[in-house]
Amino acid sequence: MTDWLHLLEEVLYFCKDFLSKKDFPTAIQNFISDLISYKTELSLNVENNLDEAMQFQNLVIEEQRKKVSKLIELPVDSISYTQRNTIRSLGVALEKYGSLLADRNNASCMDFYQEALCMYEHINDQNAQSTIAISIGNVYFQIPSLYDLDQAIYWYEKSLNLTENIDMLVQAHALNSIANVYSRKFMDVLRMNKSEEKVLNLANKALKKYEEVLELLKTLPHIGHPLPVHDLGIAYNGIGCIYGNLGQLDEALPYYQESIQCFEQSEDYNNAAMTRYNVAIDLYRYPEQGRLEEALLYAESAMREALKHGNHTKGVAERSEKLIHEIQEKLKEGP
């Protein structure tokens, strides 16, 4: 692999400047573009070099923009299948670069997402529009400098509307994202000690959306799709967290347990261990319900399962170990 990477870098070093030559054979230009795209993937997923991946992805975008500059001025009805794919390729490249920036919490990712959205709108690719609308919603939900929950909901709902009767899995992702926003709002008002009415209103909105997600996901096998077990785990966990934060532990536990099973079935051991830890936290912080020993069992289970899977779950193991000591001290104090 090392020799191949070295050869690829040498080829790209000598060839990438040819992309700007208009009289250079199109087939060769396309081959070099493909090599650059391949190198981007290697930099990101094999070499774990984000800076280099962004550098090569930018080369792909520059080349794709040249190809699209004249096409974008054509009437939509006159664009051929090949030309549509060229425009779509620019959208995909822009979206990928935007996601690399978003991973760094860089607010400029929005410029690339919006440009990609324009490409998808131009060719009326509703699936692509829906997917990137979720990414834009995630920016407003996750990046501190652009944090705006109402804007996040706007884009998630836009995604939902675009995929109606088209892609049920994308619909489920959009619904789950809306539920996550209401869950965040619920947590915010809970921390600020707002009125019980406002707290319950937001909790019920989140719960309703999570239930809609579950219902939608469970219908997928009936139309020929595999059951998306991991997505089910996320929705079950969301419901468990709502009930847990309300102190309704008997309602929370069945959903948490379903979530753990789904995460383990999809081999997401980090989230499985984290869910066990969250259950322990919920049981521990309501000592008046007398469930400290149960909290200890969940914390021990979280640490035990986390330790099985090495560095990937190291953080959960450390937090669980700390919680175990706290619970043990609390149990020594007695009622």
Side-chain angles (χ1 to χ4, degrees), residues 255-266:
Y255 288 101
Y256 276 137
Q257 288 159 359
E258 289 280 3
S259 175
I260 291 168
Q261 289 179 19
C262 288
F263 287 142
E264 289 184 335
Q265 190 176 338
S266 55

Side-chain angles (χ1 to χ4, degrees), residues 6 9 53-54 62 68 78 99 112 155 174 259 278 318 323 334:
H6 182 65
E9 287 171 358
M54 293 177 72
E62 288 176 8
V68 167
S78 68
S99 69
F112 291 89
W155 283 98
S259 175
N278 287 336
E318 291 173 349
L323 180 59

Side-chain angles (χ1 to χ4, degrees), residues 269-294:
Y269 300 112
N270 184 65
N271 267 325
M274 193 68 206
T275 302
R276 289 186 172 91
Y277 172 80
N278 287 336
V279 176
I281 285 287
D282 285 346
L283 293 166
Y284 172 60
R285 63 180 170 171
Y286 295 103
E288 68 276 7
Q289 297 195 27
R291 305 181 77 158
L292 285 177
E293 291 185 358
E294 199 175 349

